[in-house]
Amino acid sequence: MTTIVIIGAGFCGTTLAVQLLRRPPVTPLDVVLVNRSGLLARGVAYGTRTASHVLNVPAGRMGALPGEEDGFLRFAQRHDPKVGAGSFVARRTYGDYLESLLADAAVHAPSGCRFRAVVGDVNRIQPLASGGARVMLNNGDALLADKVVLSMGNYAPADPPLADEQRAFYSSPRYVRNPWHPDALWVVKPDQPVLLVGTGLTMLDVVLDLRDRGHTAPIYALSRRGLMPQAHRDLETPPVYDEQLPRRMFARPTARNYLRAVRTAVAVHARAGGDWRDVIGALRALTPQLWQALPLAERQRFLRHVRPYWEIHRHRCAPELGRRLQAEVDSGGLTLIAGRLGGYDERPEAVRVRFRRRGRAASEALSVGTVINCTGPDGDTRRLRDPLIAGLRDDGLVRADRLGLGFEVDEHYALRDHDGVAASWLHYVGPFLKYRDWEATAVPELRQHVAALAEVLHRELAQQAPAISGFAS
């Protein structure tokens, strides 16, 4: 029996297992899904139980499988008939949907196809001379695999950079490194001010969670530019996009030209009564090609100067959450600060946080009860301390990209080793595809990546497996 071991049971790992289980195998196939928490089809995004944490994409576009784009909409409507294509549904409901897809695929898998779920933490992968690998778990168990697929990527945020003498604070109980950890926010006292480091979508999640818990004290959010997430519009039908903008950008692939072309398009569209969201939406399908057209130096320039603005306009929140966030700002409950973190002075009653506002030389200070890291997932595989990633790096099985966005992966989703050679047995799908494709975080893109990898695996197994009676490629 051929064995495919998938490490990580979030969106990508779950839907890859579903796609492999749904098609007749070319050889007897064992699909093994390994997850450290035991909660399948959840991951960071869909494991939340907070009702105000809703999807950032309307229900009508959140189908997990190509060709079934309305799959989630139909699932959500069975639980709540009021849900429409433009509704933003609770993330925990989406986790229920993915779980149901996996359960159905496992129960109705075709003959010769088997599914296993394994709870454990993979800490090493050892290539075998005969092909494939041994997947080692931290409890001492091992899995033999013909193919291994890594599908993880949402690691806890990295600690904000500070001088070495200041980093001791990151061991304090007043500091929350990972706001997605279960019960991480219970340490926050509701009557004490809080500082959130980062002003993106993670910040929004934490603000809503704190308020839902009854937090009444002021909340401060600090980032270099102080930009807050933008919101979607209330739309029941998808807008129609202008396809001319990408052509103007391809004409001169530089970060400066890209930015100028988008700004010009937004201005022209606005004069005609349009919305800037239509301009950003027009780039979605061709974003990987636009990214790949940029030379390395221009990608670096984009990351330094444009990335924060792209992130808040491209990755938007639900309209209702945008209104809640704006109400927090308008009421003074949330204060956004553009500046740099300077350091911490921890005292028995509070933490004094030093910072310098953008464009100013003088330092200022805030007194808060807790500091929460809201800088978002750490995607720099050059420095991740996760045992599996570190082991893959040390063994030369993967090559972290030069921009700190993920792994080097070829067009067939095969990971490249330290010499740049693509593996025949080790693949990756998930947010660490950012170095190759840039857009690799939202469901509409990820479902295409997963489908492409499923096709690659099916084709490779068909080429490698001997003809077995009763199985057809």
Side-chain angles (χ1 to χ4, degrees):
M1 178 169 276
T2 299
T3 301
I4 298 178
V5 173
I6 304 169
I7 302 172
F11 175 86
C12 290
T14 298
T15 55
L16 179 60
V18 169
Q19 295 209 37
L20 293 173
L21 292 168
R22 279 188 168 194
R23 66 170 68 197
V26 295
T27 182
L29 182 63
D30 190 16
V31 178
V32 183
L33 186 57
V34 184
N35 189 40
R36 64 177 54 165
S37 72
L39 295 174
L40 299 179
R42 300 291 166 174
V44 170
Y46 313 123
T48 177
R49 308 310 295 174
T50 302
S52 58
H53 290 172
V54 302
L55 298 169
N56 295 323
V57 177
R61 304 208 300 269
M62 283 293 288
L65 306 172
E68 299 179 23
E69 281 76 6
D70 64 342
F72 174 63
L73 176 60
R74 289 185 281 107
F75 177 89
Q77 288 175 334
R78 289 199 294 271
H79 295 78
D80 181 359
K82 296 191 296 296
V83 172
S87 300
F88 292 83
V89 181
R91 283 184 230 160
R92 62 189 181 190
T93 302
Y94 197 75
D96 296 340
Y97 161 67
L98 294 178
E99 190 174 13
S100 73
L101 287 177
L102 181 60
D104 181 76
V107 168
H108 298 100
S111 176
C113 199
R114 183 178 69 176
F115 173 73
R116 286 190 289 151
V118 173
V119 179
D121 214 343
V122 177
N123 56 15
R124 207 77 175 185
I125 299 176
Q126 300 175 335
L128 300 176
S130 57
R134 180 181 289 108
V135 178
M136 309 296 295
L137 304 179
N138 61 355
N139 63 0
D141 290 346
L143 302 167
L144 294 179
D146 297 279
K147 301 278 187 182
V148 177
V149 177
L150 307 181
S151 63
M152 65 288 185
N154 286 321
Y155 288 93
D159 294 328
L162 280 177
D164 290 343
E165 63 271 15
Q166 286 288 321
R167 296 184 65 82
F169 174 71
Y170 292 142
S171 299
S172 168
R174 291 186 179 276
Y175 172 66
V176 177
R177 181 191 179 202
N178 183 4
W180 304 307
H181 191 278
D183 299 327
L185 301 184
W186 285 111
V187 301
V188 180
K189 295 182 179 180
D191 58 348
Q192 289 188 342
V194 174
L195 174 67
L196 312 182
V197 182
T199 60
L201 291 172
T202 303
M203 176 272 294
L204 173 58
D205 279 353
V206 172
V207 168
L208 297 178
D209 200 340
L210 289 174
R211 293 307 189 205
D212 289 348
R213 292 168 183 263
H215 189 88
T216 56
I219 300 174
Y220 302 93
L222 171 72
S223 69
R224 288 182 60 187
R225 293 171 177 81
L227 303 173
M228 74 176 189
Q230 299 295 302
H232 288 282
R233 290 167 291 175
D234 292 298
L235 288 176
E236 286 299 323
T237 58
V240 177
Y241 301 128
D242 175 14
E243 302 298 334
Q244 299 301 315
L245 174 60
R247 296 189 181 94
R248 293 192 290 273
M249 297 170 73
F250 279 124
R252 189 149 51 92
T254 67
R256 184 184 297 274
N257 180 55
Y258 281 10
L259 179 60
R260 182 181 292 121
V262 170
R263 283 177 167 171
T264 300
V266 167
V268 171
H269 195 56
R271 286 197 294 270
D275 189 282
W276 61 264
R277 295 166 182 81
D278 299 336
V279 175
I280 301 300
L283 302 176
R284 186 163 192 165
L286 292 174
T287 296
Q289 295 94 312
L290 287 165
W291 174 253
Q292 292 158 10
L294 290 173
L296 180 64
E298 290 299 324
R299 295 188 193 188
Q300 293 171 325
R301 188 168 287 113
F302 174 90
L303 294 175
R304 285 196 305 271
H305 303 295
V306 184
R307 180 180 187 174
Y309 301 95
W310 170 259
E311 298 283 8
I312 67 167
H313 289 90
R314 167 65 183 82
H315 301 289
R316 303 187 289 275
C317 65
E320 178 56 32
L321 301 193
R323 289 189 282 270
R324 285 188 61 182
L325 180 62
Q326 190 61 54
E328 284 283 345
V329 173
D330 293 343
S331 68
L334 172 65
T335 301
L336 298 173
I337 303 171
R340 288 181 178 271
L341 189 64
Y344 308 97
D345 298 315
E346 187 173 9
R347 301 169 182 179
E349 71 283 358
V351 180
R352 186 171 179 271
V353 183
R354 288 175 279 109
F355 66 94
R356 182 168 54 83
R357 291 184 189 271
R358 188 176 178 88
R360 297 186 187 177
S363 291
E364 302 178 43
L366 283 171
S367 183
V368 299
T370 310
V371 176
I372 304 175
N373 188 343
C374 296
T375 56
D378 187 2
D380 192 345
T381 56
R382 299 171 298 183
R383 68 184 183 194
L384 279 173
R385 294 171 289 181
D386 176 77
L388 175 56
I389 300 297
L392 290 168
R393 280 197 317 253
D394 294 345
D395 294 340
L397 296 177
V398 299
R399 185 156 75 174
D401 71 90
R402 292 169 287 181
L403 299 177
L405 297 174
F407 296 123
E408 290 195 15
V409 182
D410 78 356
E411 67 274 19
H412 303 299
Y413 297 87
L415 282 154
R416 295 189 183 278
D417 65 15
H418 63 98
D419 293 322
V421 178
S424 62
W425 57 272
L426 183 60
H427 295 77
Y428 178 80
V429 64
F432 288 154
L433 291 171
K434 285 177 76 74
Y435 177 70
R436 192 190 77 175
D437 296 320
W438 182 244
E439 283 298 318
T441 55
V443 164
E445 282 75 33
L446 287 176
R447 69 177 171 227
Q448 299 299 331
H449 288 306
V450 171
L453 176 55
E455 183 59 36
V456 165
L457 293 172
H458 185 77
R459 183 173 64 250
E460 289 181 353
L461 292 182
Q463 293 169 349
Q464 296 170 10
I468 298 177
S469 177
F471 289 86
S473 61

